[in-house]
Amino acid sequence: MANSIYRPKSVDQLTFTDNGMFQAVLHEPGVCAELVERLLGLRIKKVEYPELEKTIAPYYISKGVRLDVYLKDVDKIINVELQSQPQEALGKRTRYYQSMIDCDSLIKGDDYAKLKESYILFICKYDPFNNGSGQNFGLSRYTFRNVCDEEKNVNLDDKCLKVMYNATAYKKERDEKVRAFLKFVCTNDPGEDEYSNNLFAAVEKLKDNEKFRQEYAAMNIHEMDLRREAKKEKAIEDARNFYANGVSVEIIAKSLNMTVEQVKEIVNDGESEAEAQTN
């Protein structure tokens, strides 16, 4: 089958914004709380130990979500995500995250009034919004609340806030501490900011931590397995589509870097599945 080799970074190449490292650094509740306080302007009273890469899948038929960092305060739930690459349907992604968090936090039978304040914080290494013509808006921060179109003074008061930071626009950020952090995210240069330097030092310390190195290796093996499985499923789907459109088994095998026998097996299995569904 077609080759596209996934080559993860080595541990020594990792920075704060890399998957695995970001979660590991924020494993310390105090570090996590300071990040939230700095970027959301909240006062965190008490942090229940952050759950890293928490998976929420309340129903077996629903799509689960894996959250980077998920923490609870006395009266708040905060989900922190770091996005290094542009994501499709980012707004709908936050909408789904919000719904899953609410389902996870409200015990069956509880009154809706018991829902905690909810904050979804995205830290992006790119501008997440453009005008539809490819031109970015260039804001350092985008804040979203549910308000009334007809009367802006009417707030739905659903206690939900979504904030997305654009690290590439750090020079436009007015808050000095936020600007320093966004610059660190964008450039990996902590400058003179104490908090950013603490994050940088934590990254370097983790690189020498044998437990972290082992966990990072295991995470990459799992990621490679998932990618291989997804690639295999895509190749199978392509083979069946080509065959259904009259492409010969020999040409399909050559195009997808398979053997003729593999293609025949895929096609035959597909026909068997179709017959079973018909019956």
Side-chain angles (χ1 to χ4, degrees), residues 182-219:
L182 293 181
K183 180 182 178 182
F184 173 55
V185 168
C186 185
T187 66
N188 198 41
D189 177 9
E192 297 181 1
D193 179 59
E194 182 180 359
Y195 180 66
S196 298
N197 273 280
N198 289 340
L199 295 177
F200 186 84
V203 169
E204 296 305 307
K205 184 177 181 180
L206 279 167
K207 289 179 181 180
D208 292 328
N209 184 294
E210 189 59 34
K211 184 173 183 291
F212 172 76
R213 297 178 77 93
Q214 292 173 359
E215 289 175 348
Y216 179 70
M219 181 187 74

Short mmCIF file of all heavy atoms in Angstrom, two decimals, residues 182-219:
data_model
loop_
_atom_site.label_atom_id
_atom_site.label_comp_id
_atom_site.label_asym_id
_atom_site.label_seq_id
_atom_site.Cartn_x
_atom_site.Cartn_y
_atom_site.Cartn_z
N LEU A 182 2.45 34.54 24.51
CA LEU A 182 2.17 34.28 23.10
C LEU A 182 3.44 34.32 22.27
O LEU A 182 3.62 33.53 21.32
CB LEU A 182 1.15 35.28 22.56
CG LEU A 182 -0.26 35.19 23.13
CD1 LEU A 182 -1.17 36.23 22.48
CD2 LEU A 182 -0.86 33.79 22.95
N LYS A 183 4.34 35.21 22.62
CA LYS A 183 5.62 35.27 21.91
C LYS A 183 6.40 33.98 22.13
O LYS A 183 7.02 33.44 21.20
CB LYS A 183 6.44 36.46 22.40
CG LYS A 183 7.79 36.57 21.69
CD LYS A 183 8.62 37.74 22.20
CE LYS A 183 9.97 37.79 21.49
NZ LYS A 183 10.83 38.89 22.00
N PHE A 184 6.37 33.46 23.34
CA PHE A 184 7.04 32.20 23.64
C PHE A 184 6.44 31.06 22.82
O PHE A 184 7.17 30.24 22.24
CB PHE A 184 6.93 31.91 25.13
CG PHE A 184 7.44 30.55 25.53
CD1 PHE A 184 8.74 30.16 25.22
CD2 PHE A 184 6.62 29.68 26.23
CE1 PHE A 184 9.20 28.90 25.59
CE2 PHE A 184 7.08 28.43 26.61
CZ PHE A 184 8.37 28.03 26.28
N VAL A 185 5.11 31.02 22.73
CA VAL A 185 4.44 29.99 21.95
C VAL A 185 4.83 30.08 20.49
O VAL A 185 5.08 29.08 19.82
CB VAL A 185 2.90 30.10 22.11
CG1 VAL A 185 2.18 29.24 21.08
CG2 VAL A 185 2.48 29.72 23.51
N CYS A 186 4.90 31.31 19.98
CA CYS A 186 5.18 31.54 18.56
C CYS A 186 6.64 31.31 18.20
O CYS A 186 6.95 30.74 17.14
CB CYS A 186 4.76 32.97 18.18
SG CYS A 186 4.92 33.33 16.41
N THR A 187 7.56 31.69 19.08
CA THR A 187 8.98 31.69 18.73
C THR A 187 9.84 30.71 19.52
O THR A 187 10.99 30.48 19.18
CB THR A 187 9.57 33.09 18.94
OG1 THR A 187 9.55 33.40 20.36
CG2 THR A 187 8.76 34.15 18.19
N ASN A 188 9.28 30.18 20.61
CA ASN A 188 10.02 29.33 21.57
C ASN A 188 11.12 30.11 22.29
O ASN A 188 12.04 29.53 22.86
CB ASN A 188 10.63 28.10 20.88
CG ASN A 188 11.01 27.02 21.88
OD1 ASN A 188 10.29 26.76 22.83
ND2 ASN A 188 12.16 26.38 21.68
N ASP A 189 11.02 31.42 22.28
CA ASP A 189 11.96 32.28 23.00
C ASP A 189 11.26 32.83 24.23
O ASP A 189 10.32 33.62 24.12
CB ASP A 189 12.40 33.44 22.09
CG ASP A 189 13.32 34.42 22.81
OD1 ASP A 189 13.76 34.12 23.95
OD2 ASP A 189 13.60 35.50 22.24
N PRO A 190 11.67 32.41 25.44
CA PRO A 190 10.98 32.86 26.65
C PRO A 190 11.26 34.31 27.03
O PRO A 190 10.56 34.88 27.87
CB PRO A 190 11.52 31.91 27.72
CG PRO A 190 12.87 31.53 27.23
CD PRO A 190 12.77 31.48 25.73
N GLY A 191 12.29 34.92 26.41
CA GLY A 191 12.61 36.30 26.72
C GLY A 191 12.91 36.50 28.19
O GLY A 191 13.56 35.67 28.83
N GLU A 192 12.39 37.59 28.76
CA GLU A 192 12.63 37.89 30.17
C GLU A 192 11.44 37.56 31.05
O GLU A 192 11.46 37.80 32.25
CB GLU A 192 12.99 39.37 30.32
CG GLU A 192 14.28 39.76 29.59
CD GLU A 192 14.62 41.23 29.77
OE1 GLU A 192 13.86 41.93 30.48
OE2 GLU A 192 15.63 41.69 29.20
N ASP A 193 10.40 37.01 30.46
CA ASP A 193 9.19 36.69 31.22
C ASP A 193 9.45 35.49 32.13
O ASP A 193 9.86 34.42 31.67
CB ASP A 193 8.04 36.38 30.25
CG ASP A 193 6.76 36.02 30.98
OD1 ASP A 193 6.28 36.85 31.76
OD2 ASP A 193 6.26 34.90 30.75
N GLU A 194 9.21 35.66 33.42
CA GLU A 194 9.52 34.62 34.39
C GLU A 194 8.72 33.34 34.14
O GLU A 194 9.27 32.23 34.17
CB GLU A 194 9.24 35.13 35.81
CG GLU A 194 9.58 34.11 36.89
CD GLU A 194 9.31 34.63 38.29
OE1 GLU A 194 8.87 35.79 38.42
OE2 GLU A 194 9.54 33.87 39.26
N TYR A 195 7.41 33.49 33.87
CA TYR A 195 6.57 32.31 33.67
C TYR A 195 7.01 31.53 32.42
O TYR A 195 7.12 30.30 32.45
CB TYR A 195 5.11 32.72 33.54
CG TYR A 195 4.17 31.57 33.33
CD1 TYR A 195 3.97 30.60 34.32
CD2 TYR A 195 3.48 31.43 32.13
CE1 TYR A 195 3.12 29.52 34.12
CE2 TYR A 195 2.61 30.36 31.92
CZ TYR A 195 2.44 29.42 32.92
OH TYR A 195 1.60 28.36 32.71
N SER A 196 7.27 32.24 31.33
CA SER A 196 7.71 31.58 30.10
C SER A 196 9.04 30.87 30.31
O SER A 196 9.28 29.78 29.78
CB SER A 196 7.82 32.59 28.96
OG SER A 196 6.55 33.17 28.67
N ASN A 197 9.92 31.48 31.09
CA ASN A 197 11.20 30.84 31.40
C ASN A 197 11.00 29.58 32.23
O ASN A 197 11.73 28.60 32.06
CB ASN A 197 12.13 31.83 32.11
CG ASN A 197 12.93 32.67 31.14
OD1 ASN A 197 13.94 32.23 30.60
ND2 ASN A 197 12.47 33.89 30.90
N ASN A 198 10.03 29.62 33.14
CA ASN A 198 9.73 28.42 33.93
C ASN A 198 9.21 27.30 33.03
O ASN A 198 9.56 26.12 33.22
CB ASN A 198 8.69 28.75 35.00
CG ASN A 198 9.25 29.62 36.11
OD1 ASN A 198 10.46 29.68 36.30
ND2 ASN A 198 8.38 30.30 36.83
N LEU A 199 8.39 27.66 32.04
CA LEU A 199 7.89 26.66 31.10
C LEU A 199 9.03 26.08 30.27
O LEU A 199 9.12 24.87 30.06
CB LEU A 199 6.85 27.29 30.16
CG LEU A 199 5.55 27.77 30.80
CD1 LEU A 199 4.66 28.44 29.74
CD2 LEU A 199 4.80 26.63 31.47
N PHE A 200 9.92 26.95 29.82
CA PHE A 200 11.06 26.52 29.01
C PHE A 200 11.95 25.57 29.83
O PHE A 200 12.40 24.53 29.33
CB PHE A 200 11.87 27.74 28.56
CG PHE A 200 12.99 27.41 27.62
CD1 PHE A 200 12.76 27.28 26.26
CD2 PHE A 200 14.28 27.23 28.09
CE1 PHE A 200 13.80 26.98 25.38
CE2 PHE A 200 15.33 26.93 27.23
CZ PHE A 200 15.08 26.80 25.87
N ALA A 201 12.18 25.92 31.09
CA ALA A 201 13.01 25.09 31.96
C ALA A 201 12.33 23.73 32.21
O ALA A 201 13.00 22.70 32.26
CB ALA A 201 13.26 25.80 33.29
N ALA A 202 11.01 23.74 32.35
CA ALA A 202 10.28 22.49 32.57
C ALA A 202 10.41 21.57 31.36
O ALA A 202 10.54 20.35 31.50
CB ALA A 202 8.81 22.79 32.85
N VAL A 203 10.39 22.15 30.17
CA VAL A 203 10.57 21.37 28.94
C VAL A 203 11.94 20.70 28.93
O VAL A 203 12.07 19.50 28.66
CB VAL A 203 10.41 22.27 27.69
CG1 VAL A 203 10.86 21.53 26.43
CG2 VAL A 203 8.96 22.73 27.55
N GLU A 204 12.98 21.48 29.23
CA GLU A 204 14.34 20.94 29.21
C GLU A 204 14.52 19.85 30.27
O GLU A 204 15.21 18.85 30.04
CB GLU A 204 15.35 22.07 29.44
CG GLU A 204 15.35 23.13 28.34
CD GLU A 204 15.57 22.51 26.95
OE1 GLU A 204 16.56 21.78 26.79
OE2 GLU A 204 14.72 22.74 26.07
N LYS A 205 13.88 20.04 31.41
CA LYS A 205 13.98 19.03 32.47
C LYS A 205 13.30 17.73 32.06
O LYS A 205 13.81 16.63 32.31
CB LYS A 205 13.35 19.58 33.75
CG LYS A 205 13.49 18.65 34.96
CD LYS A 205 12.92 19.30 36.21
CE LYS A 205 13.07 18.37 37.41
NZ LYS A 205 12.51 19.00 38.65
N LEU A 206 12.15 17.84 31.40
CA LEU A 206 11.42 16.65 30.99
C LEU A 206 12.17 15.86 29.92
O LEU A 206 12.04 14.64 29.84
CB LEU A 206 10.03 17.04 30.46
CG LEU A 206 8.97 17.31 31.52
CD1 LEU A 206 7.75 17.99 30.91
CD2 LEU A 206 8.54 15.99 32.18
N LYS A 207 12.95 16.55 29.12
CA LYS A 207 13.72 15.86 28.08
C LYS A 207 14.71 14.86 28.69
O LYS A 207 15.09 13.89 28.05
CB LYS A 207 14.47 16.87 27.21
CG LYS A 207 13.58 17.68 26.29
CD LYS A 207 14.40 18.67 25.49
CE LYS A 207 13.54 19.53 24.59
NZ LYS A 207 14.32 20.50 23.80
N ASP A 208 15.13 15.13 29.93
CA ASP A 208 16.08 14.25 30.61
C ASP A 208 15.38 13.26 31.55
O ASP A 208 16.05 12.50 32.25
CB ASP A 208 17.08 15.08 31.42
CG ASP A 208 18.01 15.91 30.53
OD1 ASP A 208 18.32 15.42 29.43
OD2 ASP A 208 18.40 17.01 30.95
N ASN A 209 14.05 13.29 31.54
CA ASN A 209 13.29 12.42 32.43
C ASN A 209 13.01 11.10 31.72
O ASN A 209 12.31 11.06 30.70
CB ASN A 209 11.97 13.12 32.82
CG ASN A 209 11.17 12.33 33.82
OD1 ASN A 209 10.68 11.25 33.50
ND2 ASN A 209 11.02 12.86 35.02
N GLU A 210 13.52 10.02 32.26
CA GLU A 210 13.41 8.72 31.60
C GLU A 210 11.95 8.27 31.47
O GLU A 210 11.55 7.69 30.46
CB GLU A 210 14.22 7.67 32.36
CG GLU A 210 14.34 6.34 31.63
CD GLU A 210 14.99 6.48 30.27
OE1 GLU A 210 15.90 7.33 30.10
OE2 GLU A 210 14.58 5.73 29.36
N LYS A 211 11.16 8.54 32.50
CA LYS A 211 9.74 8.15 32.46
C LYS A 211 9.02 8.87 31.32
O LYS A 211 8.25 8.27 30.58
CB LYS A 211 9.08 8.47 33.79
CG LYS A 211 7.62 8.01 33.90
CD LYS A 211 7.10 8.23 35.32
CE LYS A 211 5.68 7.72 35.48
NZ LYS A 211 4.70 8.54 34.74
N PHE A 212 9.29 10.18 31.18
CA PHE A 212 8.66 10.93 30.10
C PHE A 212 9.12 10.41 28.74
O PHE A 212 8.32 10.28 27.81
CB PHE A 212 8.99 12.43 30.21
CG PHE A 212 8.54 13.22 29.01
CD1 PHE A 212 7.20 13.53 28.83
CD2 PHE A 212 9.46 13.62 28.04
CE1 PHE A 212 6.78 14.25 27.71
CE2 PHE A 212 9.04 14.32 26.92
CZ PHE A 212 7.70 14.65 26.76
N ARG A 213 10.40 10.11 28.61
CA ARG A 213 10.93 9.62 27.33
C ARG A 213 10.24 8.32 26.94
O ARG A 213 9.91 8.10 25.77
CB ARG A 213 12.45 9.44 27.42
CG ARG A 213 13.20 10.74 27.67
CD ARG A 213 14.71 10.50 27.78
NE ARG A 213 15.30 10.30 26.48
CZ ARG A 213 15.84 11.28 25.73
NH1 ARG A 213 15.83 12.52 26.19
NH2 ARG A 213 16.37 11.01 24.57
N GLN A 214 10.01 7.45 27.91
CA GLN A 214 9.35 6.19 27.63
C GLN A 214 7.88 6.41 27.24
O GLN A 214 7.37 5.78 26.31
CB GLN A 214 9.43 5.27 28.85
CG GLN A 214 10.84 4.77 29.15
CD GLN A 214 10.91 4.00 30.45
OE1 GLN A 214 9.93 3.85 31.16
NE2 GLN A 214 12.11 3.51 30.79
N GLU A 215 7.21 7.32 27.96
CA GLU A 215 5.81 7.60 27.66
C GLU A 215 5.67 8.25 26.28
O GLU A 215 4.72 7.97 25.54
CB GLU A 215 5.21 8.51 28.74
CG GLU A 215 5.03 7.80 30.07
CD GLU A 215 4.56 8.74 31.16
OE1 GLU A 215 4.59 9.97 30.95
OE2 GLU A 215 4.17 8.25 32.25
N TYR A 216 6.61 9.12 25.94
CA TYR A 216 6.57 9.78 24.63
C TYR A 216 6.77 8.76 23.51
O TYR A 216 6.08 8.79 22.49
CB TYR A 216 7.65 10.87 24.56
CG TYR A 216 7.70 11.59 23.23
CD1 TYR A 216 6.67 12.45 22.85
CD2 TYR A 216 8.76 11.40 22.35
CE1 TYR A 216 6.71 13.11 21.63
CE2 TYR A 216 8.80 12.06 21.13
CZ TYR A 216 7.78 12.91 20.78
OH TYR A 216 7.81 13.56 19.56
N ALA A 217 7.69 7.82 23.72
CA ALA A 217 7.92 6.76 22.73
C ALA A 217 6.67 5.91 22.56
O ALA A 217 6.27 5.57 21.44
CB ALA A 217 9.10 5.90 23.15
N ALA A 218 6.02 5.57 23.68
CA ALA A 218 4.80 4.76 23.62
C ALA A 218 3.68 5.52 22.91
O ALA A 218 2.91 4.94 22.14
CB ALA A 218 4.37 4.38 25.03
N MET A 219 3.58 6.83 23.16
CA MET A 219 2.56 7.64 22.52
C MET A 219 2.76 7.66 21.01
O MET A 219 1.80 7.56 20.23
CB MET A 219 2.62 9.08 23.06
CG MET A 219 1.57 10.01 22.47
SD MET A 219 1.81 11.73 22.98
CE MET A 219 3.24 12.17 21.97
#
